Amino acid sequence: MTLFRAVAVSLIAACLLAGGVTAQEAKNTMPLIQPAELAQILKSSAAQRPLALQVGFRVLYASHHIPAAEYAGPASDEGGLKALRARVNSLPRKTFIVLYCGCCPWTHCPNVHPAFAALQSMGFTNVKVLYLADNFRTDWMDKGYPVEK
C-alpha cells in the first residue's frame, strides 16, 4: 500500500467513524460485493471462499446467516469493534474478508461502515462489504441464496 493510499484510507476511516461522510459517499469508497457474486463464490472450493463476518446484531445472525459466516458482534459499539479486531488480528493482512450486516437499508446501517474502517486501519487490503440495499432477508434470503441457522 502506498503512503498516499494509506493516508487516504485512514482519512476515510476517520470520517466514517466520526459520521462526517454520508452513506452514499461511504458506499462509493468501500469495495462492495454484490449478493449474486458472493453466492457464486460460496459455490467454489473452500480455499477460494472469503471469511464472512456478520457485524450486525446477534438476533439476525441467530435467525439466519450466510453459510460458514462467523458472528463478530455489532460494529456500531466498541464491544463489537473489539471482538471484530480480536477475531482478525492474527490473520494475514491479505485475507479475503467479506463484512455484512443486513439489519436495515444500506443508507441507515450503523455497522458496516465502522467495521470496514476498523479493518482498513489494521492494514487489511482484501476486505469487501456485501451490498444489501434493503436488508438481509430481501437482498439475500428472498433471492434464494444459501443460509444457515
Side-chain angles (χ1 to χ4, degrees):
M1 179 180 287
T2 67
L3 179 58
F4 175 78
R5 179 157 167 74
V7 170
V9 166
S10 295
L11 288 173
I12 290 168
C15 288
L16 287 172
L17 290 173
V21 174
T22 67
Q24 183 61 41
E25 290 167 333
K27 177 182 165 189
N28 293 336
T29 61
M30 291 190 298
L32 303 180
I33 187 166
Q34 297 297 320
E37 182 182 358
L38 179 58
Q40 189 62 38
I41 290 171
L42 293 177
K43 293 179 185 177
S44 65
S45 72
Q48 298 172 350
R49 291 182 186 169
L51 169 61
L53 296 172
Q54 203 271 5
V55 295
F57 305 103
R58 182 171 288 284
V59 67
L60 294 174
Y61 179 83
S63 171
H64 293 87
H65 56 269
I66 293 171
E70 297 179 22
Y71 178 69
S76 58
D77 69 53
E78 191 53 44
L81 285 173
K82 184 177 179 181
L84 174 64
R85 288 184 195 106
R87 170 58 186 94
V88 301
N89 192 47
S90 64
L91 297 176
R93 295 315 191 238
K94 292 184 179 186
T95 300
F96 181 17
I97 299 173
V98 172
L99 301 171
Y100 79 99
C101 177
C103 67
C104 56
W106 176 264
T107 57
H108 296 94
C109 182
N111 296 301
V112 293
H113 303 116
F116 177 78
L119 295 189
Q120 288 293 296
S121 71
M122 293 176 72
F124 284 90
T125 60
N126 194 12
V127 178
K128 293 192 178 192
V129 178
L130 181 61
Y131 179 64
L132 299 170
D134 294 310
N135 57 56
F136 186 70
R137 174 165 299 285
T138 301
D139 299 309
W140 187 270
M141 293 174 57
D142 290 352
K143 300 222 186 280
Y145 299 133
V147 294
E148 287 180 344
K149 287 187 174 189

